[in-house]
Amino acid sequence: MVELKSPAEIERMRVTGRFVADVLAGVHANAAVGVNLLELEMYVRERIRERGAVSCYWDYAPSFGRGPFRNTVCLAVNDAVLHGLPHDYVLRDGDVLTADLAVSIDGWAADSAVTTIVGTPDPADQRLVRATEEALAAGIAAAQPGNHIGDISAAISAVAHDYGYPVNTEFGGHGIGRTMHEDPHVANAGRAGRGFRLRPGLTVAIEPWFAAGTAKVVTDADGWTIRSADGSRCAHSEHTIAVTADGPSILTLRD
């Protein structure tokens, strides 16, 4: 069931979105050679505590994970891309780090992700990150009232096709509002003109993610971290947006 939000409710989500964006900016600033992923987890945990926010990840136990997730941010490195479990790993020069964060403030959630290249960037990794960012922008641009979910999906996959990257459809975007995951599902590939018709008040998290060499994924022994099946590097970009009468509005916009 899709729940449309009022303009006042969207503004409450925007408050959460600004906080999520600010914390991710802090993760980006702190991600350097020699920094442990657990240090970044503690940074996010402290920011959430100071704000009085609630982590959407802590104790989250979906069907695709193993038991409750007991961290506040997903951190994925290199060939890992989704649901990365923070662990004792020290960042190295050239690592590709994805941070994915969802929190709730006063009962309203927001979700966003950003991929950072630590230290010296490899041009191939920069290209991959840029592809996800352009796909996200294309998906957001397609989120116009009167369009369909399939228009968002088709816009994302068109960018992936232009770059020559395969697209996984097992994991994608989703509705968001009072909880982190709501209807509708927003796949990263689809047919334009198909699916739920977009209306003002719809709030969704759009999140293209690509692996350089495959659309297939595997799950780590930790039961959470999802990696490319061929070991190729991955990138992920995500924003929470609202569909309004004037078009899409990004609720997690970073400076």
Short mmCIF file of all heavy atoms in Angstrom, two decimals, residues 27-28 31-32 37 40 74-78 91 94-99 114-118 234:
data_model
loop_
_atom_site.label_atom_id
_atom_site.label_comp_id
_atom_site.label_asym_id
_atom_site.label_seq_id
_atom_site.Cartn_x
_atom_site.Cartn_y
_atom_site.Cartn_z
N VAL A 27 31.08 11.61 7.07
CA VAL A 27 31.72 10.33 6.77
C VAL A 27 32.70 10.50 5.61
O VAL A 27 33.83 10.01 5.64
CB VAL A 27 30.67 9.25 6.44
CG1 VAL A 27 31.34 7.97 5.94
CG2 VAL A 27 29.82 8.94 7.66
N HIS A 28 32.24 11.21 4.58
CA HIS A 28 33.10 11.47 3.42
C HIS A 28 34.37 12.21 3.84
O HIS A 28 35.48 11.87 3.41
CB HIS A 28 32.33 12.30 2.39
CG HIS A 28 33.16 12.81 1.26
ND1 HIS A 28 33.50 12.04 0.17
CD2 HIS A 28 33.75 14.02 1.06
CE1 HIS A 28 34.26 12.74 -0.66
NE2 HIS A 28 34.42 13.95 -0.15
N ALA A 31 36.74 9.82 5.82
CA ALA A 31 37.21 8.60 5.16
C ALA A 31 38.58 8.86 4.53
O ALA A 31 38.69 9.46 3.47
CB ALA A 31 36.21 8.16 4.09
N ALA A 32 39.61 8.41 5.19
CA ALA A 32 40.98 8.65 4.73
C ALA A 32 41.81 7.39 4.92
O ALA A 32 41.44 6.48 5.66
CB ALA A 32 41.60 9.82 5.51
N LEU A 37 37.02 1.29 9.59
CA LEU A 37 35.57 1.38 9.39
C LEU A 37 34.82 1.51 10.71
O LEU A 37 33.78 2.18 10.78
CB LEU A 37 35.06 0.15 8.64
CG LEU A 37 35.53 -0.07 7.20
CD1 LEU A 37 34.81 -1.28 6.61
CD2 LEU A 37 35.29 1.18 6.35
N LEU A 40 34.44 5.06 11.71
CA LEU A 40 33.35 5.75 11.00
C LEU A 40 32.00 5.37 11.59
O LEU A 40 31.10 6.20 11.73
CB LEU A 40 33.41 5.41 9.51
CG LEU A 40 34.67 5.86 8.77
CD1 LEU A 40 34.62 5.42 7.31
CD2 LEU A 40 34.84 7.38 8.85
N CYS A 74 25.73 1.54 6.96
CA CYS A 74 26.27 0.48 6.11
C CYS A 74 27.53 1.01 5.45
O CYS A 74 27.50 2.09 4.82
CB CYS A 74 25.25 0.07 5.04
SG CYS A 74 23.77 -0.74 5.69
N LEU A 75 28.61 0.27 5.58
CA LEU A 75 29.90 0.65 4.99
C LEU A 75 30.40 -0.49 4.13
O LEU A 75 30.63 -1.60 4.64
CB LEU A 75 30.92 0.98 6.08
CG LEU A 75 30.56 2.17 7.00
CD1 LEU A 75 31.55 2.27 8.15
CD2 LEU A 75 30.51 3.48 6.21
N ALA A 76 30.54 -0.25 2.84
CA ALA A 76 30.93 -1.29 1.88
C ALA A 76 32.18 -0.83 1.13
O ALA A 76 32.24 0.31 0.67
CB ALA A 76 29.79 -1.57 0.91
N VAL A 77 33.14 -1.73 0.98
CA VAL A 77 34.43 -1.37 0.38
C VAL A 77 34.70 -2.20 -0.87
O VAL A 77 34.54 -3.42 -0.88
CB VAL A 77 35.58 -1.58 1.40
CG1 VAL A 77 36.92 -1.21 0.78
CG2 VAL A 77 35.33 -0.75 2.66
N ASN A 78 35.08 -1.51 -1.94
CA ASN A 78 35.56 -2.09 -3.20
C ASN A 78 34.51 -2.95 -3.90
O ASN A 78 33.59 -2.40 -4.51
CB ASN A 78 36.88 -2.82 -2.98
CG ASN A 78 38.00 -1.89 -2.56
OD1 ASN A 78 37.97 -0.70 -2.87
ND2 ASN A 78 38.99 -2.40 -1.87
N LEU A 91 41.11 1.51 6.02
CA LEU A 91 41.04 1.98 4.64
C LEU A 91 42.43 2.17 4.04
O LEU A 91 43.35 2.68 4.69
CB LEU A 91 40.26 3.29 4.56
CG LEU A 91 38.77 3.17 4.87
CD1 LEU A 91 38.14 4.56 5.01
CD2 LEU A 91 38.05 2.39 3.77
N GLY A 94 43.18 4.25 -2.53
CA GLY A 94 42.47 3.77 -3.70
C GLY A 94 41.21 2.98 -3.39
O GLY A 94 40.50 2.58 -4.33
N ASP A 95 40.91 2.73 -2.12
CA ASP A 95 39.68 2.01 -1.78
C ASP A 95 38.44 2.79 -2.23
O ASP A 95 38.42 4.03 -2.19
CB ASP A 95 39.58 1.79 -0.26
CG ASP A 95 40.34 0.56 0.20
OD1 ASP A 95 40.75 -0.25 -0.65
OD2 ASP A 95 40.51 0.41 1.43
N VAL A 96 37.43 2.06 -2.63
CA VAL A 96 36.14 2.64 -2.98
C VAL A 96 35.18 2.34 -1.82
O VAL A 96 34.88 1.17 -1.55
CB VAL A 96 35.59 2.06 -4.30
CG1 VAL A 96 34.22 2.64 -4.61
CG2 VAL A 96 36.56 2.34 -5.44
N LEU A 97 34.74 3.37 -1.13
CA LEU A 97 33.92 3.22 0.07
C LEU A 97 32.51 3.76 -0.18
O LEU A 97 32.34 4.92 -0.55
CB LEU A 97 34.54 3.97 1.24
CG LEU A 97 33.68 4.07 2.50
CD1 LEU A 97 33.52 2.70 3.16
CD2 LEU A 97 34.28 5.08 3.49
N THR A 98 31.51 2.92 0.05
CA THR A 98 30.12 3.36 -0.01
C THR A 98 29.55 3.42 1.40
O THR A 98 29.65 2.46 2.16
CB THR A 98 29.26 2.41 -0.86
OG1 THR A 98 29.68 2.50 -2.22
CG2 THR A 98 27.79 2.80 -0.78
N ALA A 99 28.98 4.57 1.76
CA ALA A 99 28.29 4.75 3.04
C ALA A 99 26.81 4.96 2.76
O ALA A 99 26.43 5.82 1.97
CB ALA A 99 28.86 5.95 3.79
N VAL A 114 26.31 7.48 -0.52
CA VAL A 114 27.32 8.15 -1.33
C VAL A 114 28.56 7.26 -1.39
O VAL A 114 28.90 6.59 -0.43
CB VAL A 114 27.68 9.53 -0.73
CG1 VAL A 114 28.25 9.41 0.67
CG2 VAL A 114 28.63 10.30 -1.64
N THR A 115 29.20 7.23 -2.55
CA THR A 115 30.44 6.47 -2.71
C THR A 115 31.62 7.43 -2.80
O THR A 115 31.60 8.39 -3.57
CB THR A 115 30.38 5.58 -3.97
OG1 THR A 115 29.35 4.61 -3.81
CG2 THR A 115 31.70 4.86 -4.19
N THR A 116 32.64 7.15 -2.01
CA THR A 116 33.84 7.97 -1.91
C THR A 116 35.06 7.15 -2.31
O THR A 116 35.16 5.98 -1.95
CB THR A 116 34.03 8.46 -0.46
OG1 THR A 116 32.90 9.23 -0.06
CG2 THR A 116 35.29 9.28 -0.31
N ILE A 117 35.97 7.74 -3.06
CA ILE A 117 37.24 7.09 -3.36
C ILE A 117 38.29 7.63 -2.39
O ILE A 117 38.50 8.84 -2.29
CB ILE A 117 37.67 7.33 -4.82
CG1 ILE A 117 36.62 6.77 -5.78
CG2 ILE A 117 39.03 6.69 -5.08
CD1 ILE A 117 36.89 7.04 -7.24
N VAL A 118 38.89 6.74 -1.65
CA VAL A 118 39.85 7.11 -0.61
C VAL A 118 41.23 7.29 -1.22
O VAL A 118 41.73 6.41 -1.93
CB VAL A 118 39.89 6.03 0.49
CG1 VAL A 118 40.90 6.40 1.57
CG2 VAL A 118 38.51 5.83 1.09
N CYS A 234 32.36 -1.69 -7.11
CA CYS A 234 30.96 -1.27 -7.11
C CYS A 234 30.84 0.18 -6.64
O CYS A 234 31.73 0.70 -5.96
CB CYS A 234 30.13 -2.15 -6.16
SG CYS A 234 30.20 -3.92 -6.50
#
